[in-house]
Amino acid sequence: MKRLLNLFLLAALPAMAQVTVSEAWVRGTVAQQKATGAFMTLSAAQDSRLVAASSPVAGTVEVHEMSMSNDVMRMRQLDSLALPAGKPVKLVPGGYHLMLMQLQRPLADGDKVPLTLEIEDAKQVRSKVTVEAVVRPLAGGHQH
């Protein structure tokens, strides 16, 4: 009976998308700059999707993709980003990234930026992953 109850309880719990975040960082800003990028590596235990993100330092956070088309770099917002099971997905300058817009304040080297990622698994169950991304200096790399 106890085993049956345990099986029932396990079946009743929603399957949470197990996503780990590593190497999270945000590009620093200068005064009056209202947007920047956040970068990290996402690894999912099961097929999942990054469907949304938020941060208290930004009015809006969007999932974006940079790509080359006819020798022109283009950026576009994505509805979601696939996170295949067991395959790390890198969010990097010039590729997939989070765009933090309507910044509330400048982001200085060494600051910590809280981010909440919303993940949806293959059964369309959503869960949230929180992370603190370190601000890195503005110098070098891709700029929005």
Side-chain angles (χ1 to χ4, degrees):
M1 180 70 171
K2 184 177 177 183
R3 183 169 186 261
L4 184 60
L5 181 59
N6 285 340
L7 287 174
F8 174 75
L9 290 173
L10 285 174
L13 292 174
M16 300 303 265
Q18 295 178 2
V19 174
T20 57
V21 180
S22 60
E23 304 169 23
W25 64 281
V26 173
R27 186 176 310 279
T29 63
V30 295
Q32 308 304 316
Q33 185 176 338
K34 294 297 179 188
T36 193
F39 312 97
M40 63 201 70
T41 300
L42 304 173
S43 299
Q46 59 181 305
D47 286 344
S48 303
R49 299 180 312 134
L50 172 62
V51 295
S54 62
S55 175
V57 304
T60 303
V61 179
E62 296 176 351
V63 180
H64 279 210
E65 175 186 33
M66 297 287 294
S67 62
M68 288 296 290
S69 177
N70 298 322
D71 294 325
V72 175
M73 182 71 80
R74 300 190 187 277
M75 180 171 61
R76 69 181 179 107
Q77 181 181 1
L78 300 175
D79 291 331
S80 66
L81 177 61
L83 304 174
K87 295 182 182 175
V89 175
K90 292 185 178 285
L91 280 63
V92 297
Y96 297 122
H97 61 281
L98 297 179
M99 196 70 204
L100 284 71
M101 298 178 291
Q102 302 165 3
L103 292 174
Q104 308 298 317
R105 60 179 171 81
L107 305 177
D109 184 23
D111 285 353
K112 301 226 183 211
V113 174
L115 295 165
T116 301
L117 310 178
E118 191 166 339
I119 309 295
E120 183 177 274
D121 69 15
K123 295 179 182 175
Q124 297 183 327
V125 174
R126 292 191 178 198
S127 61
K128 293 186 178 183
V129 176
T130 56
V131 64
E132 275 197 347
V134 176
V135 176
R136 291 189 183 169
L138 185 61
H142 171 74
Q143 202 47 30
H144 287 282

